[in-house]
Amino acid sequence: MNKTSRRIRSGLKLAVLSLLATSLLSASDSYVKTEAVAGSFPLVKNGKAASICVDKADYAGVIKVAGHLQDDIFRVTAVSSDLLDAPIAGEALVIVGTIGKSPVIDHLIEQGKIDVGAVTGRWETFALQTVDNPLPGVTQALVIAGSDKRGTIYGMYDLSKQIGVSPWYWWADAPVQKKSELYIAPGWYSDGEPKIKYRGIFLNDEAPALSGWVEEKFGGFNHKFYEKVYELILRNRGNYLWPAMWPPKAFFDDDPDNFRLADEMGVVISTSHHEPMMRAHEEWSRFGGGAWNYETNKEQLQEFWRTGFEAVSDYEGVVTMGMRGDGDEAMGEGTAIELLKTIIEDQRTIIEDVTGKPAAETPQVWALYKEVQDYYDKGMRVPDDVMVLLCDDNWGNVRILPKKEDWDREGGFGIYYHFDFVGGPVSYRWLNVTQIEKVWEQMNLCWNWGVHDLWLVNVGDLKPMELPISFFLDMAWDPDAIEAKDLPNYYVQWAQEQFGAEYAEAVAEILSMQTKYNARRTPEMLTPETYSLTNYREADSVVADYRALVEKAKEIYETLPESHQSAFYQLVLFPTEASCNVNEMMVAAAKNALYAAQGRASANHYADQVKALFEKDAELTRYFHEELENGKWNHMMAQTHLGYMSWNNPPVNKMPAVSWTHTRSNAGLGLEVEMADRRSPSTLPVFDPLNDQSYFVEVYNTGEGILDYSVQSQQDWIKLSATGGSVLFEEKVWVSIDWDKAPQGETSGDIKVTGAGREMWVKVPIRSEKPAGANGFVENNGVVSIEAAHFHKAVGSDSIGWTIIPNMGRTASAVTVEPANADRQVPGEGSPYLEYEFTVWNAGEITVEAYLSPSLNFKKNEGLKFAISIDDEAPKIINMHEGETQPDWEYPDWWNNSVTDHIKKKASVHSLEKAGSHTLKVWMVDPGVVFQKFVIDTGGLKPSYLGPQESVTVDEN
């Protein structure tokens, strides 16, 4: 991934490193080479692999992962290396060990053979270095030294990735990049210390997909399954897990080796937000007694917690504190602050009794999930050594961030984030619908606002979330190392890790756009009404964009070697094709409904198409389950995703409703005019020379047989793409204007359409004059549409600047300010603003609608603000959270709308005294406001989901 954080960092002792004949590489280079260079270490040469030495006194997990490294070298080169527990004389040796645990590593340190000054005492840090003559009889060594167990493990897995083994080699069947020889360039290499202490995932909402797969492949959620999960986490430089917990799963009780193996391998185990004291909630059903109620059943709960904690207290973990209601619900009506304080105090007493140490010496976390945040908002606090785990709204929008004065609290802060959710307004669980750009923006907020101790993400079934999991854990290692401008290249580097450099650019484009399209609206929430059939060519454009991606993906798939096709299908082709299919199905259902109402002959065609697409959805799933990798991933795509009627998933996929009609026996003529006003259904929108539009007239058949039709323009300045044709269903005739022949001023012409004994007329209005000094984005039929990233000027201040987040959002890119923790600004002279030039045809009142990412009021103040002004008027302050109070029910309408549409719209009204060119200014007030688009309505805006396409730009000055 982005390697700006790897290799040497400032502050290292360069004089000492000179002993190692260091040759530092640039951030984009790998220390692994396929050809020898001067002083390089031969990992595999002439069909012989260097032996790997791990002292038997080292951690069992380090020894286990050394075996993984041994396997990885064989995967890449087909050459076996020996695994030794003590050094032996030889030409070259890989020496792996943990400082203070490995006698051979400690000996090398004492002899001054290796430098670990930047490693010793650090958290999860490793150094990889080449050394000449490290031990008697050993001419050269590659030494991987870790500050602790995980540091050493990360060093080995880093080498595995550098030689060509993706962290997803097993979970996505990513092909190993084969090489015959491997050399390590001479030098000293390190990824440094991770900036986020705990970094991990939560397996959740895991039935029926993950559960069915695990039962079939492993016989249950046992240590054999979890060993694969632990390896994946560690290969991605994570260290933390909330295990699967949907009943009837109990991580600790189902297999006692689950936690033992996690501790051995170095994965920190904790329990979810409603499972206190290291006990799975399912265990209460098995071993508890009475009500899950601390007021009425205190003694039984305390005994339950005590016995559970005693069983695991010797393992590395983080204890979840507090209590929620039975079954992941609120504990009761209102906020019982004193009761919850008592519960936590009693839990800490149990911790002290069991461990014999002060509670502060056992890592603890209090999760502010859902209603628990109400306790925090109303002033409840936990002891300073307890980490406070903040949460998003289950849809990727952070709910609250620490105040600056709280950043230095001992226990620190964490964040619980979501790539998957079961709940309102509608669950999303089937495919990845998360843009890494959105993750970057929200986690950058967290990082800048002092959330440095735990980053945890709900990944659902794990399998469909490969890309965002990689990104989340990479960013968690060093949030400063990935800037907004690096995001496009992240796709490229990730694709290269999975498929090699030859296909990386093309695969990256598909991944970036497919996740963008899916993030517009989750597949589960799509309906035939989502995209407009009649305005801005929206529905057809959405389908066309998806189809183009599918075609690109299929072209790449056919050119890939067989070894790459399975991974490509899983990571690229299937999610793209399956998403396209659902969107196409919904648009076809919409056309069926509209065309039946219009009496079109094609209504039945689209009903049949919906059915065919519904069956294709099932076939795509069947192939994934039964044929892909010979059934390795059976059940993994079993999540229902069609036919939601409420927040909960339907028991089976349900096809969208369609209807069949009886058409007339003979062909008949019907006409659809693009963007026609209901008051003038036979009038095209106004044409003008600045926009130089093309609009269509759609001729459709209302009966059986072939419709023969003709189209004639009544003026020579009206251009037509066709003058007639024969059609079974419908086809479009495109209308444009020859401006060299068009009359001056405002006028209109006519088009005559004839067919099946009928004559129909279409009016063609034009406006040929241009506003004086037209500049910037030009109004088109009452609308100016501007993508936020396409500003004409971005003005910052000494400490604040504007940042484009490439590809973020529904249509183009987004813009926000950095740093994300900047102080509130007063709009005016010297404050940051964006400037956009635009042109309107008439003076009068306009409405500016800002399309904003649906960020929440993480400051918990009156709301995040920005300001809008036109020309020289005083900026109008807009509160993007105005009126967004939390009512008694859980999901208020304003929140439902913003997460359903993945956008929030805020409008301001302004008056323009003249036609022509004007300036829109967007002023920064608060950080954290993310702008995606601006739509200026001069009176012609029509309903649509994504809003009008961006206006054309001119410079007539």
Side-chain angles (χ1 to χ4, degrees), residues 23-92:
S23 175
L24 298 176
L25 303 180
S26 69
S28 60
D29 286 333
S30 169
Y31 53 73
V32 174
K33 305 297 179 183
T34 55
E35 296 180 356
V37 298
S40 61
F41 174 83
L43 185 61
V44 178
K45 178 182 179 182
N46 295 331
K48 179 178 174 59
S51 296
I52 303 169
C53 173
V54 184
D55 198 289
K56 58 186 176 183
D58 214 319
Y59 294 102
V62 169
I63 296 170
K64 178 186 285 288
V65 173
H68 293 177
L69 176 59
Q70 180 187 33
D71 294 340
D72 290 343
I73 293 171
F74 182 80
R75 288 186 178 101
V76 173
T77 65
V79 178
S80 299
S81 57
D82 294 327
L83 189 60
L84 311 174
D85 61 9
I88 60 173
E91 293 185 356

Side-chain angles (χ1 to χ4, degrees), residues 715-733:
Q715 290 78 27
D716 64 353
W717 46 266
I718 300 175
K719 299 190 295 183
L720 302 174
S721 63
T723 58
S726 300
V727 60
L728 177 63
F729 292 139
E730 57 254 332
E731 63 186 14
K732 293 179 174 65
V733 176

Side-chain angles (χ1 to χ4, degrees), residues 577-878:
E577 188 169 17
S579 301
C580 174
N581 191 71
V582 171
N583 277 267
E584 193 168 354
M585 187 192 315
M586 294 302 170
V587 171
K591 289 184 175 181
N592 167 255
L594 176 63
Y595 294 174
Q598 292 176 334
R600 295 197 193 196
S602 61
N604 293 346
H605 164 75
Y606 283 103
D608 294 337
Q609 189 178 80
V610 171
K611 186 174 184 293
L613 292 165
F614 181 70
E615 291 171 348
K616 181 180 178 181
D617 178 88
E619 172 57 22
L620 290 170
T621 301
R622 188 206 62 78
Y623 177 85
F624 200 106
H625 288 168
E626 298 178 14
E627 296 188 38
L628 180 67
E629 287 291 322
N630 296 315
K632 176 181 177 180
W633 300 113
N634 190 27
H635 303 289
M636 267 299 195
M637 289 298 129
Q639 178 57 53
T640 51
H641 48 276
L642 298 171
Y644 275 75
M645 300 298 291
S646 66
W647 66 269
N648 202 8
N649 55 296
V652 294
N653 286 321
K654 179 183 176 183
M655 190 182 83
V658 295
S659 60
W660 280 266
T661 64
H662 289 295
T663 56
R664 54 194 294 179
S665 57
N666 298 318
L669 174 66
L671 212 59
E672 172 96 7
V673 175
E674 182 176 9
M675 297 279 286
D677 191 288
R678 286 180 299 174
R679 294 166 296 183
S680 304
S682 298
T683 301
L684 283 163
V686 177
F687 294 78
D688 71 79
L690 290 180
N691 287 288
D692 195 19
Q693 303 95 332
S694 290
Y695 292 115
F696 64 78
V697 173
E698 188 167 49
V699 178
Y700 61 82
N701 192 352
T702 62
E704 297 179 8
I706 300 297
L707 169 66
D708 297 315
Y709 70 93
S710 67
V711 185
Q712 296 176 315
S713 59
Q714 304 302 296
Q715 290 78 27
D716 64 353
W717 46 266
I718 300 175
K719 299 190 295 183
L720 302 174
S721 63
T723 58
S726 300
V727 60
L728 177 63
F729 292 139
E730 57 254 332
E731 63 186 14
K732 293 179 174 65
V733 176
W734 293 91
V735 182
S736 58
I737 305 301
D738 184 339
W739 293 105
D740 290 333
K741 297 180 179 179
Q744 293 299 306
E746 297 184 29
T747 187
S748 64
D750 296 285
I751 297 170
K752 184 173 72 171
V753 183
T754 57
R758 188 180 182 190
E759 181 179 286
M760 302 181 75
W761 291 84
V762 177
K763 190 169 289 297
V764 183
I766 66 168
R767 175 177 206 159
S768 58
E769 81 281 6
K770 302 177 183 179
N775 188 44
F777 296 93
V778 180
E779 175 194 345
N780 182 8
N781 281 283
V783 174
V784 183
S785 181
I786 304 170
E787 296 293 348
H790 297 163
F791 47 78
H792 292 96
K793 184 188 295 185
V795 177
S797 67
D798 292 340
S799 59
I800 301 171
W802 292 96
T803 293
I804 294 176
I805 308 175
N807 195 51
M808 179 177 173
R810 305 193 309 171
T811 51
S813 299
V815 184
T816 191
V817 296
E818 288 194 279
N821 59 12
D823 292 332
R824 173 172 281 186
Q825 304 293 299
V826 177
E829 186 174 354
S831 66
Y833 66 90
L834 299 169
E835 188 171 289
Y836 305 84
E837 301 296 327
F838 69 96
T839 294
V840 295
W841 292 93
N842 299 296
E845 188 174 90
I846 64 170
T847 299
V848 178
E849 199 166 42
Y851 286 40
L852 312 170
S853 291
S855 307
L856 297 178
N857 181 20
F858 60 84
K859 287 187 173 183
K860 301 301 289 185
N861 57 10
E862 74 278 8
L864 301 181
K865 298 178 180 180
F866 63 99
I868 296 287
S869 66
I870 304 294
D871 299 331
D872 296 325
E873 72 173 341
K876 294 186 177 183
I877 303 293
I878 300 171

Side-chain angles (χ1 to χ4, degrees), residues 876-954:
K876 294 186 177 183
I877 303 293
I878 300 171
N879 183 346
M880 69 175 289
H881 299 115
E882 184 176 3
E884 294 181 354
T885 57
Q886 181 73 36
D888 293 336
W889 57 90
E890 190 171 2
Y891 301 118
D893 286 343
W894 63 263
W895 181 83
N896 280 336
N897 293 336
S898 68
V899 299
T900 295
D901 297 343
H902 291 275
I903 207 75
K904 188 187 295 289
K905 299 178 185 178
K906 302 302 286 188
S908 57
V909 177
H910 309 261
S911 182
L912 302 182
E913 296 183 357
K914 64 178 182 66
S917 178
H918 296 272
T919 301
L920 166 68
K921 286 186 178 180
V922 180
W923 301 83
M924 180 248 176
V925 177
D926 284 306
V929 180
V930 181
F931 302 98
Q932 291 190 22
K933 187 171 185 169
F934 302 100
V935 175
I936 301 172
D937 181 10
T938 69
L941 183 63
K942 295 180 180 294
S944 66
Y945 183 74
L946 300 174
Q949 300 98 327
E950 187 169 40
S951 301
V952 301
T953 59
V954 299

